Amino acid sequence: MRKTFLLTSLLMISIGLPAQNKYSLDDAWRDAQIKELKQKSPVAQQRSQWFRNARLGMFIHWNMSSVVCGEISWSKQFYEDDGEHLHKNPRPTLPDCKEQEHSGWLKWFKPAVPKEIYDNLYKSFYPGMYNADSIVNTALAAGVKYIVMVAKHHDGFCMWDSKYTDYDIMATPFHRDLLGEMAAACHQKGMKFFIYYSQRDWHHPDYTSARIGKYNEYMRNQISELLTKYAPVDGIFFDAEAWNGDSTVWEPERLFKTIYAINPNIIINNRCYAAGDYYTPEQKIGAIDMDNTWESCMTFTGFWSWHGFTSTVIPTQKCLDYLIACAGGNGNLLMDVGPLPTGQIDPREKNRLLEIGKWLKSNGEAIYSTQGGPIKPAKWGTCTRKGKDMYLLINDWSQFPENLPKMKFKIKSVSIHGNSIDFKTNKDGRTTFIIPDEMKDPYVTVIRIETSKDLTGADLIDL
């Protein structure tokens, strides 16, 4: 009883609420099960506001799989293999599952790395060029507001010095706490720090239906370790919902309450059979959604971890297309990098990140702390808003209409980077303006439109 009271008191103190509000662990868990932002408590809404303002994060998918340029973890699905034939491995799937986990994704991670190779990769993992400060500096230069780093992927290998397993970074010849160094660099430089933690564990002996309770205890212990050892941890990205609709497999209520008792200000995604604070479209841009918090996670190459220099890296234009589409849809972009086995970011990916940052230095006001709309995304680009300002982000001028439709507010001025643009509003309420070619950005042109009305909550319209 005393323990429960202390945890609840600590929760309220951390959030900054007076004790009479009685925001308890039960309240926090109740909020975690609600998807729509407006239906959550004011505490939960406030907790995730910084995240909605951030708009751009960096994902870091990395472990010893980079040594062979193979996809992280997934070879262990079919790794009873000689490099030429894919044989189903009965082990990582829980025995009472109806089918192999993600058995239809073969083309994505071929060729599988044979068992005798994959299971011993950690013995060759020595990222001698790893520099967490350098990676965080690159993220800052790119305009990134938070970093999500893989702590443990499905293969069970831990990128930190964990007291609960020997299958971790300290078993490698490198013998340095990679995750801890990243957490320290983020804290020192003011970067928000998240951990990615997969509930799957295709290495742990208790990851079976018969012993799932014991495995869940191991998982809770590790997450508690991460949240205390590398505090503050600003968010957790889980990556397994449940099998066959079983909402109890991860004991989510117990898990979430364990997390909130340590850090009530943390935000959690939707991949642990609870709505959490935000949902996560993967390898696709989410549709415009003004009611819920969301984040699209995207890759530079189509792969999550590094697949070598033969993999094509998308151009800067595509990266910015992702960014404006997410912001215009009222969501965030989480852009993934897969470091080399040396510990460095692929220089091609670093180049794209720095180009994004260069564009954001001139146009960030149209991205950060904005809402999507009120004009819906279209083939010409998208739209964001902030107070009385509306921003048109145009990446395809051939699709842009000749004029804006009649709106429920007056247009007071039109400008690009502070330079005024002449405009004309016709009797029918439609507004026309012409942008000189020399004022068009080579990637995405941002037009700021000052209006007579606060656009927060304004209805969405088509252009």
Side-chain angles (χ1 to χ4, degrees), residues 102-292:
H102 297 294
S103 59
W105 292 15
L106 281 177
K107 292 181 180 179
W108 176 43
F109 56 85
K110 279 183 178 180
V113 180
K115 175 180 180 178
E116 64 181 285
I117 305 297
Y118 196 97
D119 284 355
N120 288 286
L121 287 175
Y122 73 95
K123 298 176 183 178
S124 301
F125 188 42
Y126 192 92
M129 298 297 289
Y130 176 69
N131 186 318
D133 285 338
S134 177
I135 292 173
V136 176
N137 285 339
T138 295
L140 289 168
V144 164
K145 300 301 183 182
Y146 58 101
I147 286 177
V148 184
M149 184 171 179
V150 167
K152 178 176 79 74
H153 210 266
H154 314 327
D155 57 20
F157 183 79
C158 299
M159 295 286 278
W160 79 98
D161 181 9
S162 176
K163 66 181 179 181
Y164 297 101
T165 182
D166 293 329
Y167 192 50
D168 66 11
I169 192 63
M170 305 311 283
T172 72
F174 193 58
H175 213 72
R176 271 170 46 191
D177 189 335
L178 297 173
L179 189 75
E181 291 180 22
M182 181 60 68
C186 286
H187 296 154
Q188 193 271 328
K189 295 176 184 296
M191 176 71 71
K192 296 283 189 179
F193 176 66
F194 282 45
I195 58 169
Y196 166 108
Y197 188 98
S198 173
Q199 305 97 296
R200 297 182 179 101
D201 194 316
W202 299 335
H203 174 82
H204 199 283
D206 290 326
Y207 186 76
T208 66
S209 291
R211 298 191 298 276
I212 193 66
K214 189 174 180 181
Y215 170 74
N216 284 340
E217 182 180 1
Y218 166 79
M219 176 171 64
R220 288 192 298 272
N221 285 337
Q222 281 207 319
I223 291 173
S224 296
E225 178 182 46
L226 288 164
L227 296 183
T228 53
K229 193 172 184 177
Y230 306 120
V233 175
D234 298 291
I236 299 180
F237 191 112
F238 284 120
D239 200 15
E241 293 185 28
W243 289 287
N244 303 326
D246 182 0
S247 63
T248 65
V249 66
W250 309 124
E251 300 176 75
E253 180 176 356
R254 189 173 180 183
L255 175 59
F256 274 61
K257 287 182 177 180
T258 297
I259 293 167
Y260 290 134
I262 298 170
N263 183 1
N265 293 314
I266 202 166
I267 65 172
I268 306 172
N269 73 342
N270 67 325
R271 298 192 185 191
C272 194
Y273 217 83
D277 294 288
Y278 64 103
Y279 67 95
T280 52
E282 181 172 322
Q283 293 287 47
K284 63 181 179 181
I285 302 299
I288 189 167
D289 187 345
M290 303 305 300
D291 298 319
N292 304 291

